[in-house]
Amino acid sequence: MSVYNHRPVVPPAPSRIAELLDAIKGEFDQLTQDAIACRSQRDEYEHKMNSQIQEMNAFQASLYELERTQQNVKKQGDNQHIPSRNRYEEEISRLRQQLDQARAGHPPLSSGSVPPAQQSHPSQQHSQPAPPNIGPASNLFGGIMNSQGNTQGPPGLVAPPQMVDPNQQQGGQQHMGYPNSPQPPSSYPNGPSPQNGPPPQQQGSQPLMPVGRPISGASKMSGPPGGNATPNGPSPMVDVDPESVPSSLKNEGSDWIALFNPKAQRLLKVDLVHNFEHPSVVCCVKFSMDGRYFAAGCNRATYIYDVATSQRVCVLQDDNVGKENDDLYIRSVCFSPDGKFIATGAEDKQIRIWDISKRRIRHCLTGHEQDIYSLDFSRDGRIIVSGSGDRTARIWDMAEGVCLHVLRVNDMDQKDPGVTSVAISPDGRLVAAGSLDKMVRVWDTQTGQMLERFEGHKDSVYSVAFMADGKSVVSGSLDKTLRLWQLNTDSRGYGNERGKGPCKQIFTGHKDFVLSVATTPDGNWVVSGSKDRRVQFWDPRTGQVQFMLQGHKNSVISVTTSPSGRPLFASGSGDNLARIWSYEPI
């Protein structure tokens, strides 16, 4: 008998084992169902992912196809339209954004939901260094062309960002000089007979403006009877949709379009003649007096081209000034009437007179204390006038290279009268100057005395030009307008009191600063270039715009017309391009 009293081990009842097995089986079945559900969910996710990948591939294929189409459009040249190309580029931008959205796991945007930032023109997305300021310290002008939204500090005229491939266009350099051209007449009492402009108004035969007594001090000139001119109201060319303009009212090329005013009789046709690319902003453009040659002023260099062939004749650059990486923008260029010399004005306060055939400097005119902004030769080639940020215009003797007169803008009530633009009348007796103090002034070239002062612009005057008959002056201003000023031409001479309002016409239609003005040699048209990237042709008799030309991707800094030969005008821009255009009667 055992000491311990053990109970016998009794096997569990069969029903307990069956219960545990059922529990295990139930749990296994549940796990199996969960696995099936997970597999189904995985398959669904894979299907969705494959759908998104297919959608992304479709977007990518569409994008590549549109890019190929865009390249084909660019190669087709003048046979394609600007609006079509813009739509392709906008579609590419939209598809790029949808592709990015799809890759990020977000649903793609519809074509109508593209943010405004994605709808901008591709040319506005370039970001390259901007060239220099124009103004004292280099700068009397201070931040204008690139100062949108900048409210700190004084404004400065900054040239626009560069937007083209800085590859120089190669051309022949075998030309060794210019043939002499016949001297132009010393005066144009009634201007050349119109050939391709609007019908001229009836005008009585008037003698050339006599030179009388000067204005005492800086008093303002009163105007002709009839009061001040008033603007013509909003221009019909503002914000016009090119697609809505009928083909009879437009000319266009691969990257430009000219829209004609539907409210004025169409008298001209426009076409692009030559396109010149440069390594920097084109600050100024000018034709020779005989119309055979064309010059463009850029950073450190002046480029001269043959107008007929578009070949480069030469590049004028003073290698003795500064280092190659220093900026020295050529602000103004002007050919001598015989075409043998060209004057250049730059930021180093010097005027260089180049002998073109020898490619070297003949004279270097010094005396200005700030940047040279404008130059002009008299028609007889005896004098040259310059305008500078030092508040003076100067008249120089071309033969001797000496200063004859210093025309000072020293009004005590004006804070910043730097001279931005100068022009000599066709008869060589007057010089007009625009300045930062909103004024246009006129001096006698022989005596250096001020004869008239025109006030009316609401902002700085950036450009002036004489009409062909020498009896009126056109000015362009940062107030977005042009004005036509009547000179005192009665027989009693300058300075006589007349009714108020010397402004004959106000031209409104530009959407931004007017940076340059010019007139055609027949006197029928006024040309303007603006920060709004447009060139406009105006009828000086009515103030109406004839056409608006969109041909640059940045501010149009300079415009000029050919004095003789085929009717041509040229534009220079912050997009590094200088372009020659034709305007011909229909």
Side-chain angles (χ1 to χ4, degrees):
M1 184 175 180
S2 171
V3 178
Y4 302 98
N5 185 18
H6 294 282
R7 292 183 179 181
V9 177
V10 180
S15 61
R16 178 63 177 166
I17 295 175
E19 183 179 347
L20 292 175
L21 290 174
D22 290 341
I24 293 173
K25 181 180 179 182
E27 186 174 354
F28 178 78
D29 291 341
Q30 181 64 39
L31 290 174
T32 301
Q33 292 177 1
D34 290 345
I36 293 173
C38 289
R39 187 181 298 110
S40 175
Q41 189 174 14
R42 182 198 66 186
D43 293 341
E44 182 180 357
Y45 287 157
E46 287 181 351
H47 177 72
K48 289 182 179 180
M49 184 171 64
N50 290 333
S51 297
Q52 290 187 354
I53 291 174
Q54 291 177 359
E55 189 176 6
M56 284 170 46
N57 291 336
F59 285 147
Q60 193 172 34
S62 298
L63 178 63
Y64 291 155
E65 179 64 26
L66 284 172
E67 287 180 340
R68 286 193 295 269
T69 304
Q70 182 197 28
Q71 294 298 325
N72 292 334
V73 168
K74 289 183 177 179
K75 291 178 181 179
Q76 288 175 3
D78 292 345
N79 295 327
Q80 298 297 327
H81 302 302
I82 292 175
S84 300
R85 192 183 73 174
N86 290 347
R87 286 198 298 271
Y88 278 125
E89 291 172 337
E90 290 170 359
E91 183 70 5
I92 289 172
S93 177
R94 182 180 67 81
L95 288 173
R96 284 187 187 278
Q97 184 190 15
Q98 291 181 352
L99 183 60
D100 292 339
Q101 292 284 351
R103 287 174 176 169
H106 300 296
L109 294 174
S110 65
S111 60
S113 61
V114 180
Q118 297 293 329
Q119 296 178 349
S120 61
H121 193 278
S123 65
Q124 298 174 2
Q125 299 173 3
H126 292 268
S127 178
Q128 298 185 17
N133 294 340
I134 300 179
S138 154
N139 226 338
L140 247 168
F141 283 66
I144 295 173
M145 295 170 65
N146 257 357
S147 63
Q148 294 176 346
N150 180 17
T151 58
Q152 298 180 355
L157 179 64
V158 181
Q162 305 172 20
M163 290 191 174
V164 297
D165 185 3
N167 293 325
Q168 300 183 18
Q169 180 173 340
Q170 298 299 323
Q173 300 186 13
Q174 72 279 5
H175 183 80
M176 296 302 293
Y178 292 76
N180 289 335
S181 59
Q183 291 290 339
S186 61
S187 63
Y188 296 84
N190 299 312
S193 59
Q195 296 179 354
N196 60 345
Q201 293 180 341
Q202 296 295 328
Q203 296 181 357
S205 176
Q206 297 182 1
L208 278 175
M209 43 193 139
V211 178
R213 68 181 185 274
I215 295 178
S216 59
S219 61
K220 303 170 190 175
M221 280 298 298
S222 56
N228 290 314
T230 57
N232 292 319
S235 169
M237 307 304 294
V238 175
D239 296 327
V240 64
D241 180 10
E243 289 291 336
S244 66
V245 178
S247 58
S248 61
L249 290 177
K250 61 184 176 183
N251 292 141
E252 54 190 322
S254 62
D255 61 351
W256 63 271
I257 186 168
L259 304 177
F260 288 82
N261 187 354
K263 297 184 179 180
Q265 179 185 2
R266 180 176 174 180
L267 300 169
L268 300 174
K269 60 182 179 180
V270 185
D271 199 5
L272 177 63
V273 179
H274 297 307
N275 187 65
F276 303 108
E277 294 187 8
H278 299 89
S280 73
V281 165
V282 179
C283 297
C284 52
V285 290
K286 201 75 171 180
F287 286 97
S288 62
M289 185 63 67
D290 59 8
R292 296 180 57 188
Y293 300 99
F294 172 74
C298 300
N299 187 16
R300 301 183 61 85
T302 300
Y303 300 82
I304 300 179
Y305 302 93
D306 185 298
V307 172
T309 65
S310 78
Q311 295 297 307
R312 184 186 297 166
V313 174
C314 65
V315 179
L316 303 178
Q317 181 171 343
D318 189 351
D319 296 325
N320 297 322
V321 178
K323 301 178 181 178
E324 290 188 1
N325 58 353
D326 291 338
D327 289 336
L328 183 65
Y329 281 83
I330 308 300
R331 298 296 184 188
S332 183
V333 294
C334 188
F335 286 93
S336 63
D338 60 10
K340 295 180 179 180
F341 305 99
I342 189 170
T344 64
E347 298 175 323
D348 61 356
K349 312 171 190 177
Q350 298 185 37
I351 304 167
R352 294 171 176 83
I353 310 296
W354 294 84
D355 185 319
I356 299 175
S357 63
K358 298 178 181 179
R359 275 75 160 168
R360 67 185 184 189
I361 297 172
R362 179 189 181 190
H363 293 313
C364 192
L365 309 180
T366 59
H368 279 296
E369 299 174 359
Q370 290 290 346
D371 301 4
I372 310 298
Y373 294 134
S374 184
L375 297 169
D376 197 18
F377 267 102
S378 63
R379 297 284 183 91
D380 59 12
R382 292 187 300 106
I383 61 173
I384 184 171
V385 64
S386 58
S388 169
D390 63 5
R391 308 183 180 190
T392 70
R394 294 177 183 241
I395 300 175
W396 308 83
D397 182 285
M398 178 60 184
E400 302 296 330
V402 297
C403 182
L404 301 177
H405 299 289
V406 178
L407 314 177
R408 300 189 183 277
V409 181
N410 51 9
D411 297 4
M412 299 303 295
D413 58 338
Q414 301 300 330
K415 295 181 180 180
D416 193 6
V419 177
T420 60
S421 178
V422 293
I424 298 180
S425 62
D427 62 5
R429 301 168 66 185
L430 303 174
V431 57
S435 55
L436 295 178
D437 62 3
K438 314 174 189 178
M439 299 287 187
V440 176
R441 295 173 175 84
V442 180
W443 285 272
D444 185 317
T445 58
Q446 296 180 355
T447 65
Q449 294 177 310
M450 184 186 295
L451 304 175
E452 302 201 54
R453 187 179 75 164
F454 299 135
E455 181 178 4
H457 278 296
K458 309 250 187 280
D459 208 334
S460 301
V461 177
Y462 260 41
S463 186
V464 294
F466 276 92
M467 293 298 293
D469 61 5
K471 298 177 182 178
S472 52
V473 176
V474 178
S475 58
S477 168
L478 301 190
D479 65 10
K480 307 178 186 178
T481 71
L482 293 79
R483 289 179 180 245
L484 181 64
W485 307 93
Q486 177 67 53
L487 297 174
N488 185 355
T489 59
D490 64 33
S491 59
R492 293 172 295 173
Y494 290 103
N496 295 305
E497 291 297 328
R498 300 169 291 173
K500 290 188 176 181
C503 182
K504 294 174 59 180
Q505 197 69 256
I506 301 177
F507 307 85
T508 59
H510 277 296
K511 299 170 65 177
D512 214 323
F513 307 144
V514 178
L515 302 177
S516 183
V517 297
T519 62
T520 57
D522 58 12
N524 288 325
W525 305 105
V526 173
V527 190
S528 59
S530 168
K531 189 188 171 186
D532 64 13
R533 309 181 182 186
R534 299 174 177 179
V535 175
Q536 298 202 35
F537 258 55
W538 310 84
D539 183 344
R541 299 163 181 80
T542 64
Q544 286 187 319
V545 62
Q546 168 72 190
F547 68 83
M548 179 268 293
L549 172 65
Q550 295 178 333
H552 285 284
K553 296 180 180 178
N554 212 308
S555 303
V556 180
I557 303 173
S558 180
V559 293
T560 188
T561 60
S562 178
S564 59
R566 182 183 178 188
L568 301 173
F569 69 97
S571 54
S573 169
D575 62 8
N576 298 9
L577 294 180
R579 293 186 143 182
I580 296 179
W581 312 82
S582 65
Y583 64 100
E584 296 177 332
I586 296 177

